[in-house]
Coordinates of all heavy atoms in Angstrom, one line a residue:
M1 N 0.8 -1.2 0.0 CA 0.0 0.0 0.0 C 0.9 1.3 0.0 O 1.7 1.5 0.9 CB -0.9 0.0 1.2 CG -1.8 1.2 1.3 SD -3.1 0.9 2.5 CE -2.1 0.8 4.0
G2 N 0.7 2.1 -1.0 CA 1.5 3.3 -1.1 C 0.9 4.5 -0.4 O -0.2 4.3 0.1
L3 N 1.6 5.6 -0.4 CA 1.1 6.8 0.3 C -0.2 7.2 -0.4 O -1.1 7.7 0.3 CB 2.1 7.9 0.2 CG 3.0 8.1 1.4 CD1 4.0 9.2 1.2 CD2 2.2 8.2 2.6
G4 N -0.3 7.1 -1.7 CA -1.4 7.5 -2.5 C -2.7 6.9 -2.0 O -3.7 7.6 -1.7
S5 N -2.7 5.6 -1.7 CA -3.9 4.9 -1.2 C -4.2 5.3 0.2 O -5.4 5.3 0.6 CB -3.8 3.4 -1.4 OG -2.6 3.0 -0.8
L6 N -3.2 5.6 1.0 CA -3.5 6.1 2.4 C -4.3 7.4 2.3 O -5.2 7.6 3.0 CB -2.1 6.3 3.1 CG -1.7 5.3 4.1 CD1 -0.4 5.7 4.7 CD2 -2.7 5.0 5.1
F7 N -3.8 8.3 1.5 CA -4.5 9.6 1.4 C -5.9 9.4 0.9 O -6.8 10.0 1.3 CB -3.7 10.6 0.5 CG -2.5 11.2 1.2 CD1 -1.3 11.1 0.7 CD2 -2.7 11.9 2.4 CE1 -0.2 11.7 1.4 CE2 -1.7 12.5 3.1 CZ -0.4 12.4 2.6
K8 N -6.0 8.5 -0.1 CA -7.4 8.3 -0.7 C -8.3 7.8 0.4 O -9.4 8.2 0.5 CB -7.3 7.3 -1.8 CG -8.6 7.2 -2.6 CD -8.4 6.3 -3.8 CE -9.7 6.3 -4.6 NZ -10.9 5.9 -3.8
R9 N -7.8 6.9 1.2 CA -8.7 6.3 2.3 C -9.1 7.4 3.3 O -10.3 7.4 3.6 CB -7.9 5.3 3.1 CG -7.9 3.9 2.5 CD -7.3 2.9 3.4 NE -7.7 1.6 3.1 CZ -7.5 0.6 3.9 NH1 -7.0 0.8 5.0 NH2 -7.9 -0.6 3.5
K10 N -8.2 8.2 3.6 CA -8.5 9.3 4.6 C -9.6 10.2 4.0 O -10.6 10.6 4.6 CB -7.3 10.1 4.9 CG -7.4 11.0 6.2 CD -6.1 11.6 6.6 CE -6.3 12.4 7.8 NZ -5.1 13.1 8.2
K11 N -9.4 10.5 2.7 CA -10.4 11.4 2.0 C -11.8 10.8 2.0 O -12.8 11.4 2.3 CB -9.9 11.7 0.6 CG -10.7 12.7 -0.2 CD -10.0 13.1 -1.4 CE -10.8 14.1 -2.2 NZ -11.9 13.6 -2.9
D12 N -11.8 9.5 1.7 CA -13.1 8.8 1.6 C -13.8 8.8 3.0 O -15.0 9.0 3.1 CB -12.9 7.3 1.2 CG -12.5 7.2 -0.3 OD1 -12.7 8.2 -1.0 OD2 -12.0 6.1 -0.7
K13 N -13.0 8.6 4.0 CA -13.6 8.6 5.4 C -14.2 10.0 5.7 O -15.3 10.1 6.2 CB -12.5 8.2 6.4 CG -13.1 7.8 7.7 CD -11.9 7.4 8.6 CE -12.5 7.0 10.0 NZ -11.5 6.7 11.0
Q14 N -13.5 11.0 5.3 CA -14.0 12.4 5.6 C -15.3 12.6 4.9 O -16.2 13.2 5.4 CB -12.9 13.4 5.1 CG -13.2 14.8 5.5 CD -13.0 15.0 7.0 OE1 -12.2 14.4 7.6 NE2 -13.7 16.0 7.5
E15 N -15.4 12.1 3.7 CA -16.6 12.3 2.9 C -17.8 11.6 3.5 O -18.9 12.2 3.6 CB -16.4 11.8 1.5 CG -15.6 12.8 0.6 CD -15.1 12.2 -0.7 OE1 -15.5 11.1 -1.0 OE2 -14.5 12.9 -1.5
V16 N -17.5 10.4 4.1 CA -18.6 9.7 4.7 C -19.1 10.4 6.0 O -20.3 10.5 6.2 CB -18.1 8.3 5.1 CG1 -19.1 7.6 6.0 CG2 -17.9 7.5 3.9
I17 N -18.2 11.0 6.8 CA -18.5 11.7 8.0 C -19.4 12.9 7.6 O -20.4 13.2 8.3 CB -17.3 12.2 8.7 CG1 -16.6 10.9 9.3 CG2 -17.6 13.2 9.8 CD1 -15.2 11.2 9.8
E18 N -19.1 13.6 6.6 CA -19.8 14.9 6.2 C -21.2 14.6 5.6 O -22.0 15.5 5.6 CB -18.9 15.7 5.3 CG -17.8 16.3 6.0 CD -16.9 17.1 5.0 OE1 -17.1 17.0 3.8 OE2 -15.9 17.7 5.5
E19 N -21.4 13.4 5.1 CA -22.6 13.1 4.3 C -23.8 13.0 5.3 O -23.7 12.4 6.3 CB -22.4 11.8 3.5 CG -23.6 11.6 2.6 CD -23.4 10.3 1.8 OE1 -22.2 10.1 1.4 OE2 -24.3 9.6 1.6
C20 N -24.9 13.6 4.9 CA -26.1 13.6 5.7 C -26.8 12.2 5.5 O -26.9 11.8 4.3 CB -27.0 14.7 5.3 SG -28.6 14.6 6.0
H21 N -27.2 11.6 6.6 CA -27.8 10.3 6.4 C -29.3 10.4 6.9 O -29.6 10.7 8.0 CB -27.1 9.2 7.2 CG -27.6 7.9 7.0 ND1 -27.3 7.1 5.9 CD2 -28.5 7.1 7.7 CE1 -28.0 6.0 5.9 NE2 -28.7 5.9 7.0
I22 N -30.2 10.1 5.9 CA -31.6 10.2 6.2 C -32.2 8.8 6.2 O -32.1 8.1 5.2 CB -32.3 11.1 5.2 CG1 -31.6 12.4 5.0 CG2 -33.8 11.3 5.5 CD1 -31.9 13.1 3.7
D23 N -32.9 8.5 7.2 CA -33.7 7.2 7.2 C -35.2 7.5 7.3 O -35.6 8.3 8.1 CB -33.3 6.4 8.5 CG -32.1 5.6 8.3 OD1 -31.9 5.0 7.1 OD2 -31.3 5.5 9.2
I24 N -35.9 6.8 6.4 CA -37.4 7.0 6.4 C -38.1 5.7 6.6 O -37.8 4.7 5.9 CB -37.9 7.6 5.1 CG1 -37.2 9.0 4.8 CG2 -39.4 7.8 5.1 CD1 -37.4 9.6 3.5
N25 N -38.9 5.7 7.7 CA -39.7 4.5 7.9 C -40.9 4.5 7.1 O -41.9 5.1 7.4 CB -40.1 4.4 9.4 CG -40.9 3.2 9.8 OD1 -41.3 2.5 8.9 ND2 -41.1 3.0 11.0
T26 N -40.8 3.9 5.9 CA -41.9 3.9 4.9 C -43.1 3.1 5.4 O -44.2 3.4 4.9 CB -41.4 3.4 3.5 OG1 -40.8 2.1 3.7 CG2 -40.4 4.4 2.9
N27 N -43.0 2.3 6.3 CA -44.1 1.5 6.9 C -45.1 2.5 7.6 O -46.3 2.3 7.5 CB -43.7 0.4 7.8 CG -43.0 -0.7 7.1 OD1 -43.3 -1.0 6.0 ND2 -42.0 -1.3 7.8
D28 N -44.6 3.5 8.2 CA -45.4 4.4 9.0 C -45.8 5.7 8.2 O -46.6 6.5 8.6 CB -44.7 4.8 10.3 CG -44.6 3.7 11.3 OD1 -45.4 2.7 11.1 OD2 -43.8 3.8 12.2
C29 N -45.2 5.8 7.0 CA -45.4 7.0 6.2 C -46.8 6.9 5.5 O -47.1 5.9 4.9 CB -44.3 7.2 5.1 SG -44.6 8.5 3.9
D30 N -47.6 8.0 5.6 CA -48.9 8.0 4.9 C -48.9 8.9 3.7 O -50.0 9.1 3.1 CB -50.0 8.3 5.9 CG -49.8 9.7 6.5 OD1 -49.0 10.5 6.0 OD2 -50.5 10.0 7.5
G31 N -47.8 9.4 3.4 CA -47.7 10.2 2.1 C -48.3 11.6 2.2 O -48.7 12.2 1.2
C32 N -48.3 12.2 3.4 CA -48.9 13.5 3.6 C -48.2 14.6 3.0 O -48.7 15.7 2.8 CB -49.0 13.8 5.1 SG -47.5 14.1 6.0
E33 N -46.9 14.4 2.6 CA -46.1 15.4 1.9 C -45.6 16.6 2.8 O -45.0 17.5 2.2 CB -46.7 15.9 0.6 CG -46.9 14.8 -0.4 CD -47.4 15.3 -1.8 OE1 -46.6 15.9 -2.5 OE2 -48.6 15.2 -2.1
K34 N -45.9 16.6 4.1 CA -45.5 17.7 4.9 C -44.0 17.9 4.9 O -43.5 19.0 4.8 CB -46.0 17.5 6.3 CG -47.5 17.7 6.5 CD -48.0 17.5 7.9 CE -49.5 17.8 8.0 NZ -50.1 17.5 9.3
C35 N -43.3 16.8 4.9 CA -41.8 16.8 4.9 C -41.2 17.4 3.6 O -40.4 18.2 3.6 CB -41.2 15.5 5.2 SG -41.7 14.2 4.0
S36 N -41.8 16.9 2.5 CA -41.2 17.3 1.2 C -41.6 18.8 0.9 O -40.8 19.5 0.3 CB -41.8 16.4 0.1 OG -43.2 16.5 0.1
I37 N -42.7 19.3 1.4 CA -43.1 20.7 1.3 C -42.2 21.5 2.2 O -41.7 22.6 1.8 CB -44.6 20.9 1.6 CG1 -45.4 20.2 0.5 CG2 -44.9 22.4 1.7 CD1 -46.9 20.1 0.8
A38 N -41.9 21.1 3.4 CA -41.2 21.9 4.4 C -39.7 21.9 4.2 O -39.0 22.9 4.6 CB -41.5 21.3 5.8
C39 N -39.2 20.9 3.6 CA -37.7 20.8 3.4 C -37.2 22.0 2.5 O -37.6 22.2 1.4 CB -37.3 19.5 2.7 SG -35.5 19.5 2.3
P40 N -36.3 22.8 3.1 CA -35.9 24.0 2.3 C -34.9 23.7 1.2 O -34.6 24.5 0.3 CB -35.1 24.8 3.4 CG -34.7 23.8 4.4 CD -35.8 22.8 4.4
N41 N -34.5 22.4 1.1 CA -33.5 22.1 0.1 C -34.1 21.0 -0.9 O -33.3 20.4 -1.7 CB -32.2 21.6 0.8 CG -31.6 22.7 1.6 OD1 -31.3 23.7 1.1 ND2 -31.4 22.4 2.8
N42 N -35.4 20.8 -0.8 CA -36.0 19.9 -1.8 C -35.3 18.5 -1.8 O -35.1 17.9 -2.9 CB -35.9 20.5 -3.2 CG -37.0 20.0 -4.1 OD1 -38.0 19.4 -3.7 ND2 -36.8 20.1 -5.4
V43 N -35.0 18.0 -0.6 CA -34.3 16.7 -0.5 C -35.3 15.5 -0.7 O -34.9 14.5 -1.2 CB -33.6 16.6 0.8 CG1 -33.0 15.2 1.1 CG2 -32.6 17.7 1.0
L44 N -36.5 15.7 -0.2 CA -37.5 14.6 -0.1 C -38.5 14.7 -1.2 O -38.9 15.7 -1.7 CB -38.1 14.6 1.3 CG -37.1 14.6 2.4 CD1 -37.9 15.0 3.7 CD2 -36.4 13.3 2.5
I45 N -39.0 13.5 -1.6 CA -40.1 13.4 -2.6 C -41.0 12.3 -2.2 O -40.7 11.3 -1.6 CB -39.4 13.1 -4.0 CG1 -40.5 13.2 -5.1 CG2 -38.7 11.8 -4.0 CD1 -39.9 13.3 -6.5
V46 N -42.3 12.6 -2.4 CA -43.4 11.6 -2.1 C -44.0 11.2 -3.4 O -44.5 11.9 -4.2 CB -44.4 12.2 -1.2 CG1 -45.6 11.2 -1.0 CG2 -43.8 12.7 0.1
V47 N -43.9 9.9 -3.6 CA -44.5 9.2 -4.8 C -45.4 8.1 -4.4 O -44.9 7.2 -3.6 CB -43.4 8.8 -5.8 CG1 -44.0 8.1 -7.0 CG2 -42.5 9.9 -6.3
D48 N -46.6 8.0 -4.9 CA -47.5 6.9 -4.5 C -47.6 6.8 -3.0 O -47.5 5.6 -2.5 CB -47.0 5.6 -5.2 CG -47.1 5.6 -6.7 OD1 -47.9 6.4 -7.2 OD2 -46.3 4.9 -7.3
D49 N -47.8 7.9 -2.3 CA -48.0 7.9 -0.9 C -46.9 7.3 -0.1 O -47.0 6.8 1.0 CB -49.3 7.1 -0.5 CG -50.6 7.8 -0.9 OD1 -50.5 9.1 -1.1 OD2 -51.6 7.2 -1.1
S50 N -45.7 7.4 -0.6 CA -44.5 7.0 0.1 C -43.3 7.9 -0.1 O -43.0 8.3 -1.2 CB -44.1 5.6 -0.4 OG -43.0 5.1 0.3
C51 N -42.8 8.3 1.0 CA -41.7 9.3 1.0 C -40.3 8.7 0.7 O -40.1 7.6 1.2 CB -41.7 10.1 2.3 SG -40.4 11.3 2.3
S52 N -39.5 9.3 -0.1 CA -38.2 8.8 -0.3 C -37.2 10.0 -0.4 O -37.6 11.1 -0.6 CB -38.1 7.8 -1.5 OG -38.5 8.5 -2.6
V53 N -35.9 9.7 -0.4 CA -34.9 10.7 -0.5 C -34.6 10.9 -2.0 O -34.2 10.0 -2.7 CB -33.6 10.3 0.2 CG1 -32.5 11.3 0.1 CG2 -33.9 10.0 1.7
R54 N -34.8 12.2 -2.4 CA -34.5 12.5 -3.8 C -33.0 12.8 -4.0 O -32.4 12.3 -5.0 CB -35.3 13.8 -4.2 CG -35.2 14.2 -5.6 CD -35.9 15.5 -5.9 NE -35.2 16.6 -5.1 CZ -34.1 17.3 -5.6 NH1 -33.6 17.0 -6.7 NH2 -33.6 18.2 -4.8
D55 N -32.4 13.5 -3.1 CA -31.0 13.9 -3.2 C -30.4 14.1 -1.8 O -30.5 15.3 -1.3 CB -30.8 15.1 -4.1 CG -29.3 15.4 -4.4 OD1 -28.5 14.7 -3.8 OD2 -29.1 16.3 -5.2
A56 N -29.8 13.1 -1.2 CA -29.2 13.3 0.2 C -28.0 14.3 0.2 O -27.7 14.8 1.2 CB -28.8 11.9 0.7
Q57 N -27.4 14.5 -0.9 CA -26.2 15.4 -1.0 C -26.5 16.8 -0.7 O -25.7 17.6 -0.3 CB -25.5 15.2 -2.3 CG -24.9 13.8 -2.4 CD -23.9 13.8 -3.6 OE1 -24.0 14.6 -4.5 NE2 -23.0 12.8 -3.6
V58 N -27.8 17.2 -0.9 CA -28.1 18.6 -0.7 C -28.8 18.8 0.7 O -29.2 19.9 1.1 CB -29.0 19.2 -1.8 CG1 -28.2 19.3 -3.1 CG2 -30.3 18.4 -2.0
C59 N -28.9 17.8 1.5 CA -29.5 17.9 2.8 C -28.5 18.6 3.8 O -27.3 18.3 3.8 CB -29.7 16.5 3.4 SG -30.3 16.5 5.1
K60 N -29.0 19.6 4.5 CA -28.2 20.4 5.4 C -28.4 20.0 6.9 O -28.0 20.7 7.8 CB -28.5 21.9 5.3 CG -28.3 22.4 3.9 CD -26.9 22.3 3.4 CE -26.7 22.9 2.0 NZ -25.5 22.4 1.4
S61 N -29.1 18.9 7.1 CA -29.3 18.3 8.5 C -30.0 19.3 9.4 O -29.8 19.3 10.6 CB -28.0 17.9 9.1 OG -27.3 17.0 8.4
C62 N -30.9 20.1 8.8 CA -31.7 21.1 9.7 C -32.8 20.4 10.5 O -33.2 21.0 11.5 CB -32.3 22.2 8.8 SG -33.6 21.5 7.7
R63 N -33.2 19.2 10.1 CA -34.2 18.4 10.8 C -35.6 19.0 10.8 O -36.4 18.7 11.7 CB -33.7 18.1 12.2 CG -32.5 17.2 12.2 CD -32.0 16.8 13.5 NE -30.9 15.8 13.4 CZ -29.6 16.0 13.1 NH1 -29.3 17.3 12.8 NH2 -28.7 15.1 13.0
V64 N -35.9 19.9 9.9 CA -37.2 20.4 9.8 C -38.2 19.3 9.4 O -39.3 19.2 10.0 CB -37.3 21.5 8.7 CG1 -38.7 21.8 8.3 CG2 -36.6 22.8 9.2
C65 N -37.7 18.4 8.6 CA -38.6 17.2 8.2 C -38.9 16.3 9.4 O -40.0 15.8 9.5 CB -37.8 16.5 7.1 SG -36.2 15.9 7.6
V66 N -37.9 16.1 10.2 CA -38.0 15.3 11.4 C -39.1 15.9 12.3 O -40.0 15.2 12.8 CB -36.7 15.1 12.2 CG1 -36.9 14.3 13.5 CG2 -35.6 14.5 11.3
A67 N -39.0 17.2 12.5 CA -40.0 17.9 13.4 C -41.4 17.9 12.9 O -42.4 17.8 13.6 CB -39.5 19.3 13.7
I68 N -41.5 18.0 11.6 CA -42.9 18.2 11.0 C -43.6 16.9 10.7 O -44.8 16.8 10.6 CB -42.8 19.0 9.7 CG1 -44.1 19.8 9.5 CG2 -42.4 18.2 8.5 CD1 -44.0 20.9 8.5
C69 N -42.9 15.8 10.6 CA -43.6 14.5 10.3 C -44.5 14.1 11.4 O -44.1 13.9 12.5 CB -42.5 13.4 10.0 SG -43.4 11.8 9.7
P70 N -45.8 13.9 11.1 CA -46.7 13.6 12.2 C -46.6 12.1 12.6 O -47.1 11.7 13.7 CB -48.1 13.8 11.5 CG -47.8 13.7 10.1 CD -46.4 14.1 9.8
N71 N -45.9 11.3 11.9 CA -45.8 9.9 12.2 C -44.4 9.5 12.6 O -44.1 8.3 12.7 CB -46.2 9.0 11.0 CG -47.6 9.4 10.6 OD1 -48.5 9.7 11.4 ND2 -47.9 9.3 9.3
D72 N -43.5 10.4 12.9 CA -42.1 10.2 13.3 C -41.4 9.2 12.4 O -40.7 8.3 12.9 CB -42.2 9.6 14.8 CG -42.6 10.7 15.8 OD1 -42.3 11.9 15.5 OD2 -43.1 10.3 16.8
C73 N -41.6 9.4 11.2 CA -41.0 8.5 10.2 C -39.5 8.7 9.9 O -38.8 7.8 9.4 CB -41.7 8.5 8.9 SG -43.4 8.1 8.9
I74 N -39.1 10.0 10.1 CA -37.8 10.4 9.6 C -36.7 10.6 10.7 O -37.0 11.2 11.8 CB -37.9 11.7 8.8 CG1 -39.0 11.6 7.8 CG2 -36.6 12.1 8.2 CD1 -39.3 13.0 7.1
T75 N -35.5 10.0 10.5 CA -34.4 10.3 11.3 C -33.3 10.8 10.4 O -33.1 10.4 9.3 CB -33.9 9.1 12.1 OG1 -33.7 8.0 11.2 CG2 -34.9 8.7 13.1
V76 N -32.6 11.9 10.9 CA -31.4 12.4 10.2 C -30.2 12.4 11.1 O -30.2 12.9 12.2 CB -31.8 13.9 9.8 CG1 -30.5 14.5 9.1 CG2 -33.0 13.9 8.8
N77 N -29.2 11.8 10.6 CA -27.9 11.7 11.4 C -26.8 12.5 10.8 O -26.8 12.6 9.6 CB -27.5 10.2 11.5 CG -28.5 9.4 12.2 OD1 -29.0 9.7 13.2 ND2 -28.9 8.3 11.5
Ligands
SF4_101 S1 -32.8 17.6 7.5 FE1 -33.5 19.6 6.5 S2 -32.4 19.7 4.5 FE2 -32.3 17.6 5.3 S3 -34.1 16.5 4.4 FE3 -34.8 17.2 6.4 S4 -35.7 19.3 6.1 FE4 -34.5 18.7 4.2
SF4_102 S1 -44.2 14.0 6.8 FE1 -43.9 11.8 7.4 S2 -45.8 10.8 6.9 FE2 -45.7 12.7 5.8 S3 -44.8 12.1 3.8 FE3 -43.2 12.8 5.1 S4 -42.4 10.9 6.0 FE4 -44.4 10.5 5.2

């Protein structure tokens, strides 16, 4: 293993730490769209009464979606 791969590993780890992680319990989601409407960064999308993540890379971890979901479906780490 050369120095190059060491640096690459460190860089990958850093990217993982910075990435927002969103979990949605789709079993409890009723598709109300409150989260997708409230999200300031248009991260979430509801299709066929089920919420999913459209683009996790633009999530700023503000947790507005977590607070507004009436069914406690969303966790953001
Ligand atoms: S944490 Fe904030 S930016 Fe991320 S999905 Fe929820 S509302 Fe959107
Ligand atoms: S606010 Fe909760 S119940 Fe409503 S669409 Fe979003 S995840 Fe589903």
Side-chain angles (χ1 to χ4, degrees):
M1 182 168 61
L3 265 183
S5 51
L6 258 181
F7 280 123
K8 186 173 185 308
R9 276 188 161 194
K10 196 171 181 184
K11 187 168 180 285
D12 288 346
K13 196 174 179 189
Q14 188 72 28
E15 283 168 0
V16 169
I17 289 168
E18 288 174 357
E19 187 178 320
C20 174
H21 185 78
I22 308 163
D23 277 321
I24 301 173
N25 180 350
T26 52
N27 289 328
D28 291 342
C29 173
D30 60 14
C32 72
E33 296 189 74
K34 287 181 178 173
C35 58
S36 57
I37 292 167
C39 174
N41 298 305
N42 202 19
V43 174
L44 305 166
I45 187 168
V46 177
V47 177
D48 294 335
D49 289 339
S50 184
C51 181
S52 60
V53 178
R54 186 187 63 83
D55 185 357
Q57 291 191 338
V58 295
C59 174
K60 302 298 182 200
S61 302
C62 68
R63 294 181 173 79
V64 166
C65 56
V66 176
I68 207 165
C69 176
N71 301 327
D72 291 333
C73 298
I74 308 173
T75 52
V76 175
N77 299 309

